[in-house]
Amino acid sequence: MRLLVNVDHVATLRNARGEGVPDPIRAARICEEAGAAGIVFHLREDRRHIRDEDAYKMKENVQGDLDFEMAATDEMIQICTDISPDLCTLVPEKREELTTEGGLQLKNVHQDFRERVIPALHQASIRVSLFVDPDPDEIEIAHDLGVEAIELHTGTYSNADTEEGRQNQLRRLAEAAEKAHELGLQVNAGHGLNFDNIQTMLDRVPHLHEVSIGHALISDAIFNGLSNTVSRMAHIVENYEG
Ligand code: PXP
C-alpha cells in the first residue's frame, strides 16, 4: 500500500499572500523524500489552490507517481493530456464547495464518460481512476467503463459522528473494495483521512493500493514545525542589540 500526498493546501497558503511561498513544488519534494510514493494535486476550475504553472512544474519535478485530480471538463482534459501524469483521478466539482463533497454519480454521467472523457485520456496513454462512493452499482459502472482504478470516497466514514455510522461506512467501504478488486480494478481511497481514523480503515478495508491524503498532513505539519520556526525567530529577536 502506498501513500500519495495531496499538496493543494500548500498552494492555498501561498495564494493567501499572492507571493511565491510556501512553494507546493518544494513541498512535493519533501513529501517524496519522506517516503510518499507520489503526489496528488487537484487543478480546480477556479484555480483556488494549484495553478496551471504548478501542474506543469509537478510533472517536471515529481519523481514518483503523479496523480492529476480534476473535473471532466474539456479544458482539464486538454491540460491533463498535455502534462501526461501517471494517473488521472476524475472527481465531481462544484464551484461553491469548500472541498469535494462526494463521489461521481456515474449513473448520471456514464455515457459522456464513455464517449468523450475516457477515450481522450486513454488515447493519451493516461491511466484513469474514478472517485466514487462505496456503492456496488457505481463500482460496476466503473468496471463497464474500462478504467484502471477507482478511488473510494472515505469522507463519509471520516465525518461519521456515531460509532454505528462509522461501522456502517467501514462495511460499505470493505464491500466496495472487495467488489472492485474482484472486477480487476485497482482500489485507491481518500478524503478526510487523518492520524485518528486511518488505522481502523486499513484494518477493515482489503485490497487497497493507494491512499491519497492532503489536508490532515499539511495541518499536522504546521504544528510539527511551528515550535522550531518560532524559536529560530525568537533567537534573532532576542539578540537585537540596538
Ligand atoms: N481524494 C480526492 C478525490 C479528493 O478530492 C481529495 C481532496 O482534494 C483527497 C483525496 C484528499 O482529501 P483530504 O485533503 O481530506 O486528505
Side-chain angles (χ1 to χ4, degrees):
M1 234 268 296
R2 297 147 33 95
L3 169 66
L4 265 61
V5 179
N6 178 317
V7 294
D8 290 351
H9 293 303
V10 177
T12 304
L13 197 53
R14 176 199 57 194
N15 298 351
R17 284 294 283 263
E19 293 161 18
V21 293
D23 176 9
I25 309 301
R26 182 174 172 199
R29 197 171 304 128
I30 291 170
C31 294
E32 291 201 279
E33 283 167 8
I39 299 298
V40 189
F41 64 85
H42 183 176
L43 185 66
R44 295 186 77 101
E45 185 199 8
D46 62 8
R47 311 303 201 265
R48 69 173 75 154
H49 35 60
I50 293 293
R51 295 174 174 158
D52 298 42
E53 62 268 30
D54 298 321
Y56 282 91
K57 282 190 201 157
M58 289 287 173
K59 172 67 180 179
E60 282 167 31
N61 287 278
V62 169
Q63 309 285 311
D65 277 9
L66 190 62
D67 179 359
F68 188 146
E69 212 185 285
M70 61 181 223
T73 62
D74 286 339
E75 181 198 24
M76 286 302 151
I77 292 169
Q78 168 66 49
I79 297 170
C80 185
T81 53
D82 199 28
I83 288 178
S84 189
D86 299 287
L87 187 68
C88 172
T89 299
L90 294 166
V91 298
E93 190 176 304
K94 290 190 219 130
R95 184 173 265 271
E96 65 280 10
E97 70 191 354
L98 289 177
T99 183
T100 314
E101 287 171 349
L104 293 159
Q105 297 299 307
L106 293 177
K107 300 169 194 72
N108 304 331
V109 297
H110 67 93
Q111 194 177 346
D112 180 40
F113 272 37
R114 190 187 307 283
E115 290 168 6
R116 177 181 65 92
V117 181
I118 295 168
L121 294 166
H122 277 169
Q123 259 165 34
S125 303
I126 298 169
R127 299 171 68 248
V128 180
S129 176
L130 302 177
F131 184 58
V132 291
D133 294 322
D135 168 345
D137 294 341
E138 291 287 294
I139 308 285
E140 231 158 69
I141 301 171
H143 174 249
D144 284 348
L145 287 170
V147 295
E148 287 72 20
I150 51 144
E151 180 177 329
L152 292 173
H153 176 44
T154 51
T156 313
Y157 158 67
S158 303
N159 292 330
D161 50 11
T162 63
E163 190 49 31
E164 192 190 351
R166 236 182 318 278
Q167 290 303 324
N168 185 32
Q169 290 305 319
L170 285 167
R171 234 181 339 268
R172 291 184 69 205
L173 286 165
E175 285 168 15
E178 198 66 70
K179 180 168 186 111
H181 177 74
E182 272 168 23
L183 292 170
L185 290 159
Q186 178 181 310
V187 185
N188 301 333
H191 210 280
L193 295 173
N194 59 37
F195 285 105
D196 294 329
N197 63 27
I198 189 159
Q199 190 60 56
T200 311
M201 206 265 306
L202 298 184
D203 291 344
R204 291 281 300 278
V205 181
H207 309 304
L208 291 173
H209 187 80
E210 284 169 6
V211 285
S212 161
I213 310 180
H215 190 263
L217 293 180
I218 304 307
S219 305
D220 191 75
I222 291 175
F223 292 119
N224 270 321
L226 195 57
S227 172
N228 273 343
T229 302
V230 171
S231 36
R232 234 179 100 202
M233 188 59 83
H235 186 69
I236 295 170
V237 170
E238 279 157 16
N239 285 333
Y240 173 64
E241 288 173 354

